[in-house]
């Protein structure tokens, strides 16, 4: 080999070695393997969050066992109990007093005893009533105490109890008996003998305290689709107050704008040709209104959400941690999802964030529709949060968590995979800037968010409950409505109350109102309420005194009392409203969190309505009150069936107490008016049907905390933006080689259900 050839070989070898070194150095900064990487943040909770944990099935069973052996009363399983029986209606966690919990979490206090709240219906007593007991300590109960009078100021009358599944079954039996008295009418109007009709409940049940009289709306029932869009025009009023089912009666019948005393009278009018009958053909399974079966074969799959090296959040028991966030989560069987002890960077921001109530109020020219004011907490927002469908309700690779409840049975039930947790790429920059002057660079941060989600199916509607945690230290709460609209039979001036969406179907207008409790502890428990808004002042221009200018200025105010902090629905509210601590940030401003509401709610009820006090929380888009242990919730499951004498009236919480440097609670209402239209068929989409609120840091930090995020991107014009070491986005081609290992699709959401469900799906 001559010298020239040797030099060429040496140069090529050096070039190859240099290239290999460059590749190795570059790859050293990229994810090198597809192995699961543990979350960066370790959970140091040490099991403290279990103080908020929902009851386990074993604990529920222990409470049932204790009550059956300790009350000296014959208890019948609620799933088969008659109104004249006594039964255990529900068992759930009794959340300890806040002072006890904080002493345990933040100080040297003992762990509060773990207790359950048991609701019992005592029908087999001289004075039937509803009684609530606190039972403890768990896991081995040794005591119980009656807390009914302490909580509500008196006993809870028996007629206020929620309607049980067994009661609905007995009502259905009565209606079927009555329908048999109008065979010729049913065959002509509906091509039915009555046995194939579905029955939808309404609420409330009468006009005054003590009533238990309910309108039921009848629909064609077709397997595999929602019956809510197929009314036949027939509605019946059932009185079911008596403790003896044999004494229940059908009190009135409505058909096509006319009222009758009984189905027999309706049949007589039909036979005598005195009744205008609208013939409604029985819908076919493949053409029924509202059919959700796909019309086309599946297409190619859409974008797939996955974590290349595993989740960056951690779920341990009832606590999830993610990039500085720490949240304890749970589910109340009545009121639904709730969060506790929400911390960011180790500091508690929110003690409790919980759903309180969901109101749906309808209009119609049919009795069932016009009288409906559903308070969904009495039906069970948490109880009916069923299994989530992997890859549709939540990302395929989300973490799914089971929830347990004991309601209307002595056996605990499980809604498996009914709560999901995932990190969400919003496909939107959290912040960014492209500099095209002076120095040239790009800086930005992806908007990755932790989401905790549950979905409740409440008769026809499905509510998607989201709690979201952002890298900026902000929290977002939102709810989307989907599912089926409810409908009335189209007759007369029906379009005064909605839009016609089918041959005989009126999509009835209605309001959605959702209420939340937010117990903020911003830099401690002692907070004040401060507002800021814009104003203009007319001033002379300092540099040209002969001219004037409208100068924009910041108007600040501290609200001193509860009455000032109760903002009526649809009234002007300061654009900036903050829970402020007595402590300041680096720049001398109070460390605060801002409440920012997105809502389009309509008027919940006129103030003159005799049932308005039962939903008086709906008067306000926001109300801030002193936190009190005796005011844990804004409503009660007993308000639905006696809204005229509400067991809990939120308006009583607002009594002009001082709110300066106190432990405060924000009560937030969001909602929207829904006038159904053709595009609500087959059912309602979530687009445009979402409302909620933000809790945003406002001078809480000295700068945006997301500046510390490891997901930040920055490169200048002088750098190679395609180098993994300079830009983490350039590492993604290596990371995406880690294709996800997806678990097989399984679904068990139908396991707890029966085809013989009560009317209205309750």
């Amino acid at each position: 080999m001559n010298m020239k050839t040797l030099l060429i070989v040496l140069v090529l070898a050096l070039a190859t070695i240099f290239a290999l070194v460059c590749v190795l150095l570059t790859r050293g900064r990229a994810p090198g393997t597809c192995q699961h990487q543990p979350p960066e943040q370790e959970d140091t909770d040490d099991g403290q969050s279990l103080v908020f944990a929902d009851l386990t099935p074993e604990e529920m069973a222990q409470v049932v066992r204790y009550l059956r052996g300790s009350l000296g009363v014959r208890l019948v399983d609620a799933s088969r109990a008659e109104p004249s029986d006594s039964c255990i209606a529900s068992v759930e966690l009794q959340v300890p007093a806040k002072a006890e919990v904080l002493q345990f979490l933040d100080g040297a206090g003992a762990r509060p005893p773990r207790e359950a709240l048991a609701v019992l219906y005592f029908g087999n007593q001289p004075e039937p009533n509803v009684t609530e007991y606190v039972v403890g300590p768990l896991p081995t109960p040794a005591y119980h105490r009656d807390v009914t009078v302490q909580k509500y100021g008196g006993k809870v009358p028996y007629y206020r109890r929620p309607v049980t599944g067994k009661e609905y079954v007995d009502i259905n039996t009565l209606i079927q008996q009555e329908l048999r008295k109008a065979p010729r009418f049913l065959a002509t109007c509906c091509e039915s003998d009555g046995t194939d009709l579905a029955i939808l409940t309404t609420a409330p049940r009468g006009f005054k305290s003590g009533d238990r009289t309910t309108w039921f709306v009848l629909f064609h029932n077709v397997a595999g689709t929602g019956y809510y869009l197929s009314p036949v025009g027939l509605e019946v009023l059932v009185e079911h107050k008596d403790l003896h089912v044999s004494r229940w009666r059908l009190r009135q019948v409505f058909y096509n704008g006319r009222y009758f005393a009984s189905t027999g009278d309706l049949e007589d009018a039909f036979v005598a040709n005195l009744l205008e009958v609208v013939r409604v053909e029985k819908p076919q399974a493949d053409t029924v209104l509202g059919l959700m079966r796909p019309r086309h074969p599946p297409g190619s799959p859409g974008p797939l959400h996955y974590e290349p090296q595993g989740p960056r959040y951690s779920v341990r028991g009832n606590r999830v941690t993610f990039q500085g966030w720490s949240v304890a989560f749970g589910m109340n069987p009545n009121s639904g999802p709730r969060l506790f002890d929400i911390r960011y960077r180790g500091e508690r921001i929110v003690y409790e964030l919980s759903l309180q109530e969901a109101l749906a109020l309808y209009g119609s020219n049919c009795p069932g529709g016009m009288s409906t004011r559903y308070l969904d907490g009495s039906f069970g927002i948490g109880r009916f949060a069923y299994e989530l469908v992997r890859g549709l309700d939540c990302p395929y690779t989300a973490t799914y968590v089971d929830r347990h409840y004991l309601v209307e049975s002595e056996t605990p039930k499980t809604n498996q995979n009914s709560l999901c947790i995932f990190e969400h790429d919003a496909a939107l920059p959290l912040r960014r800037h492209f500099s095209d002057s002076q120095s040239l660079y790009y800086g930005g941060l992806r908007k990755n968010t932790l989401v905790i989600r549950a979905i409740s199916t409440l008769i026809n509607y499905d509510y998607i409950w989201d709690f979201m945690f952002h890298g900026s230290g902000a929290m977002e709460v939102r709810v989307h409505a989907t599912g089926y609209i409810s409908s009335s039979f189209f007759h007369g001036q029906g379009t005064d109350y909605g839009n016609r969406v089918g041959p005989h179907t009126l999509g009835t207008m209605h309001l959605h109102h959702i209420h939340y409790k937010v117990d903020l502890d911003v830099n401690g428990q002692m907070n004040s309420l401060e507002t800021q808004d814009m104003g203009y002042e007319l001033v002379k221009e300092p540099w040209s005194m002969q001219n004037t200018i409208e100068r924009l200025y910041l108007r600040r105010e501290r609200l001193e009392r509860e009455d000032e902090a109760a903002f009526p629905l649809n009234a002007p509210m300061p654009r900036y409203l903050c829970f402020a601590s007595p402590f300041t940030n680096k720049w001398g401003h109070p460390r605060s969190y801002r409440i920012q509401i997105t809502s389009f709610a309509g008027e919940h009820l006129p103030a003159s309505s005799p049932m308005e006090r039962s939903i008086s929380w709906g008067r306000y888009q926001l109300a801030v009150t002193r936190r009190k242990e005796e005011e844990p919730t804004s409503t009660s499951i007993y308000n639905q069936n006696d809204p005229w004498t509400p067991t809990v009236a939120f308006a009583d919480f607002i009594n002009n107490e001082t709110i300066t440097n106190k432990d405060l609670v924000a009560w937030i209402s969001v909602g929207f008016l829904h006038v159904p239209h053709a595009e609500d068929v087959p059912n309602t989409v979530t687009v445009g049907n979402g409302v909620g609120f933000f809790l945003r840091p406002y001078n809480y930090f000295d700068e945006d905390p997301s500046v510390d995020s490891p997901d930040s991107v920055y490169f200048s014009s002088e750098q190679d933006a395609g180098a993994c070491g300079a830009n983490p986005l350039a590492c993604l081609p290596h990371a995406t080689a880690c294709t996800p290992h997806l678990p097989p699709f399984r679904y068990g959401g139908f396991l707890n259900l029966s085809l013989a469900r009560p009317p209205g799906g309750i």
Side-chain angles (χ1 to χ4, degrees):
M1 183 181 293
N2 59 33
M3 185 62 68
K4 183 177 180 180
T5 303
L6 181 61
L7 287 173
I8 292 173
V9 171
L10 287 173
V11 169
L12 290 174
L14 288 171
T16 302
I17 292 170
F18 179 77
L20 287 171
V21 170
C22 290
V23 169
L24 289 172
L25 288 174
T26 301
R27 286 191 172 182
R29 297 184 183 95
T33 69
C34 294
Q35 294 179 354
H36 183 107
Q37 298 294 317
E40 295 178 7
Q41 177 181 335
E42 290 296 326
D43 186 0
T44 58
D45 178 67
D46 294 329
Q48 287 185 317
S49 63
L50 292 175
V51 73
F52 302 113
D54 296 340
L55 297 183
T56 66
E58 294 76 16
E59 289 174 323
M60 296 174 188
Q62 287 281 20
V63 172
V64 170
R65 190 174 299 114
Y66 170 83
L67 290 172
R68 292 189 67 86
S70 303
L71 296 182
V73 176
R74 179 179 178 272
L75 296 176
V76 177
D77 191 297
S79 62
R80 51 185 176 80
E82 302 288 340
S84 56
D85 292 325
S86 297
C87 66
I88 300 171
S90 64
V91 175
E92 63 185 79
L93 174 71
Q94 170 70 14
V95 178
K98 181 178 181 180
E100 294 180 48
V101 173
L102 292 184
Q103 286 176 4
F104 167 63
L105 295 180
D106 302 339
R111 180 185 291 270
R114 189 158 167 80
E115 297 177 321
L117 178 69
V119 177
L120 280 85
Y121 299 164
F122 288 118
N124 189 17
Q125 287 189 356
E127 185 181 352
N129 66 88
V130 179
T131 301
E132 297 191 2
Y133 294 107
V134 168
V135 181
L138 301 176
T140 308
Y143 60 80
H144 65 279
R145 61 181 185 273
D146 186 339
V147 295
T148 316
V149 175
Q150 173 190 337
K151 288 179 65 174
Y152 305 118
K155 291 188 175 183
V156 176
Y158 197 55
Y159 54 77
R160 292 183 187 174
R161 72 195 186 282
V163 175
T164 66
K166 176 63 166 62
E167 189 171 354
Y168 279 123
V169 168
D170 290 339
I171 291 170
N172 187 42
T173 299
L174 171 63
I175 292 174
Q176 291 298 325
Q177 291 173 353
E178 294 296 324
L179 291 179
R180 287 198 286 270
K181 299 176 181 178
R184 286 175 285 186
F185 164 76
L186 285 174
T188 302
C189 83
C190 316
E191 297 183 0
S192 170
D193 62 358
T195 59
D196 56 351
L197 298 181
I199 301 168
L200 177 66
T201 186
T202 66
R205 309 177 190 281
F207 291 98
K208 64 183 185 305
S209 294
D211 285 354
R212 204 171 180 84
T213 307
T214 306
W215 278 104
F216 288 88
V217 186
L218 278 69
F219 297 81
H220 272 304
N221 191 16
V222 179
T225 189
Y227 61 80
Y228 315 101
L229 297 177
S230 303
V232 299
L234 185 64
E235 304 183 12
V236 295
L237 183 65
V238 176
E239 183 178 303
H240 50 111
K241 177 182 177 180
D242 200 285
L243 299 188
H244 299 281
V245 176
S246 61
R247 298 173 187 165
W248 292 356
R249 294 290 180 266
L250 189 148
R251 291 300 182 192
Q252 217 162 13
V253 178
F254 171 85
Y255 177 74
N256 197 22
R258 291 182 59 186
Y259 292 86
F260 301 87
S262 67
T263 51
D265 286 355
L266 175 67
E267 178 82 346
D268 291 344
F270 170 74
V271 171
N273 202 27
L274 299 175
L275 179 65
E276 180 183 353
V277 175
V278 179
R279 299 175 186 270
V280 181
E281 293 182 2
K282 187 173 183 177
Q284 301 303 306
D286 56 344
T287 59
V288 62
L289 202 64
L291 182 66
M292 293 181 66
R293 291 194 182 98
R295 298 184 181 180
H296 302 284
S300 59
L304 178 65
H305 170 286
Y306 75 100
E307 302 98 342
Q309 293 184 298
R312 303 195 301 175
Y313 57 87
S314 173
V315 180
R316 185 179 299 175
N318 66 319
R319 178 166 290 276
V320 56
T321 55
F322 171 74
Q323 295 188 351
W325 287 105
S326 174
V327 183
F329 58 86
M331 181 78 76
N332 181 283
N334 299 313
S335 58
R338 57 188 181 186
L339 309 179
F340 290 98
D341 196 25
I342 301 173
R343 306 188 194 197
Y344 187 64
R345 293 185 167 185
E347 295 187 4
R348 183 177 300 109
I349 308 297
V350 176
Y351 178 76
E352 178 187 353
L353 171 52
S354 57
L355 179 63
Q356 297 288 293
E357 186 62 277
L359 163 70
L361 188 153
Y362 284 80
S364 173
N365 59 346
C366 296
M370 74 176 69
S371 62
T372 293
R373 289 96 171 89
Y374 289 132
L375 296 173
D376 288 328
S378 74
F379 295 112
I381 297 172
R383 171 190 176 189
F384 294 120
Y386 294 116
E387 180 169 359
L388 299 163
V389 173
R390 185 186 293 272
L392 197 154
D393 291 330
C394 305
Y396 202 97
T397 57
T399 298
Y400 294 84
V401 183
D402 297 346
R403 297 287 86 191
H404 313 286
Y405 66 92
L406 191 150
V407 179
E408 295 185 27
S409 172
E410 293 186 356
T411 303
K413 300 286 197 308
T414 297
N415 285 338
Q416 62 183 25
N417 301 333
S418 55
L419 186 146
C420 71
I421 300 168
F422 56 93
E423 182 183 352
H424 170 59
D425 176 6
L428 178 74
L430 182 65
R431 49 179 175 80
R432 60 94 71 188
H433 179 64
F434 176 80
S435 176
D436 62 353
S437 62
Q438 303 299 318
S439 59
L440 307 179
Y441 65 89
Y442 175 90
L445 178 63
R446 287 166 53 185
K447 187 179 179 183
N448 284 359
T449 305
L450 179 76
V451 182
I452 301 174
R453 171 177 294 169
I455 304 179
S456 300
T457 299
L458 295 156
I459 309 181
N460 54 306
Y461 259 108
D462 297 60
Y463 291 102
I464 302 173
W465 313 108
D466 279 350
F467 301 86
M468 308 173 69
F469 301 88
H470 299 277
S472 61
M475 289 162 269
E476 181 181 355
V477 178
R478 68 183 182 190
V479 53
H480 286 91
T482 177
Y484 283 96
I485 59 172
S486 189
S487 68
S488 289
F489 190 77
F490 179 77
H491 76 96
Q493 302 301 310
T495 52
D496 288 347
Y497 310 97
N499 288 312
R500 188 176 180 181
V501 297
H504 307 287
T505 305
L506 175 71
T508 48
M509 65 183 297
H510 54 280
L511 304 174
H512 291 282
H513 277 250
I514 315 296
H515 201 230
Y516 292 90
K517 176 184 181 180
V518 188
D519 183 356
L520 280 153
D521 284 354
V522 180
N523 203 182
Q525 288 178 256
M526 299 298 103
N527 293 161
S528 301
L529 194 63
E530 294 192 348
T531 68
Q532 298 178 13
D533 212 330
M534 57 175 283
Y536 285 102
E537 54 185 0
L538 189 63
V539 298
K540 289 190 177 296
E541 294 178 345
W543 64 92
S544 177
M545 296 300 290
Q546 67 270 29
N547 296 314
T548 58
I549 187 172
E550 298 84 12
R551 181 167 61 185
L552 186 66
Y553 76 98
L554 186 60
R555 186 168 60 240
R556 303 176 190 266
E557 184 180 2
R558 173 170 287 192
L559 304 185
E560 303 288 344
R561 297 194 170 273
E562 288 178 340
D563 287 10
E564 300 174 70
F567 298 94
L569 187 69
N570 298 325
M573 189 169 74
R575 292 170 177 83
Y576 280 69
L577 197 147
C578 301
F579 269 50
S581 89
F583 307 101
T584 61
N585 69 356
K586 181 178 178 180
W587 316 113
H589 296 291
R591 300 186 70 195
S592 306
Y593 257 75
R594 176 189 175 194
I595 299 172
Q596 182 177 334
I597 300 173
T598 304
S599 177
F600 317 98
E603 185 180 1
H604 66 302
L605 268 181
S608 59
S609 169
M611 64 178 68
E612 191 274 342
R613 263 178 59 79
S614 66
I615 50 174
S616 52
W617 49 264
R619 299 176 189 175
Y620 311 101
Q621 50 191 316
L622 170 68
V624 177
T625 66
R626 292 264 292 271
R627 187 195 187 279
K628 296 179 181 177
E629 204 64 50
E630 60 269 25
E631 295 175 351
T633 60
S634 60
T635 185
S636 165
I637 59 173
Y638 313 119
N639 281 14
Q640 175 72 92
N641 291 335
D642 187 8
W644 309 280
T645 310
T647 304
V648 174
F650 176 75
D652 295 341
F653 292 11
I654 303 170
N655 52 12
N656 213 29
E657 291 184 280
T658 179
I659 54 173
T660 302
N661 290 324
K662 303 293 181 183
D663 191 1
L664 304 179
V665 174
W667 307 87
I668 300 174
S669 296
V670 298
F672 57 93
L673 170 66
H674 187 183
V675 182
H677 44 88
E679 292 79 10
D680 282 306
V681 177
N683 65 353
T684 297
V685 299
T686 54
V687 178
N689 290 318
V691 291
F693 59 92
F694 291 87
L695 304 174
R696 299 175 57 188
Y698 188 77
N699 289 319
Y700 187 84
F701 303 100
D702 299 332
E703 62 180 352
D704 177 36
S706 70
V707 71
D708 294 325
S709 172
D711 297 330
S712 295
V713 171
Y714 179 91
F715 50 82
S716 70
S717 60
E718 300 173 354
Q719 293 175 288
D720 179 5
C724 184
N727 172 18
L729 296 179
C731 303
L732 292 180
H734 304 287
T736 54
C738 306
T739 56
H741 298 284
L742 301 182
F745 183 91
R746 293 187 176 91
Y747 187 74
F750 303 120
L751 295 178
N752 285 337
L753 304 181
S754 166
L755 290 177
R757 297 185 69 199
I762 297 304

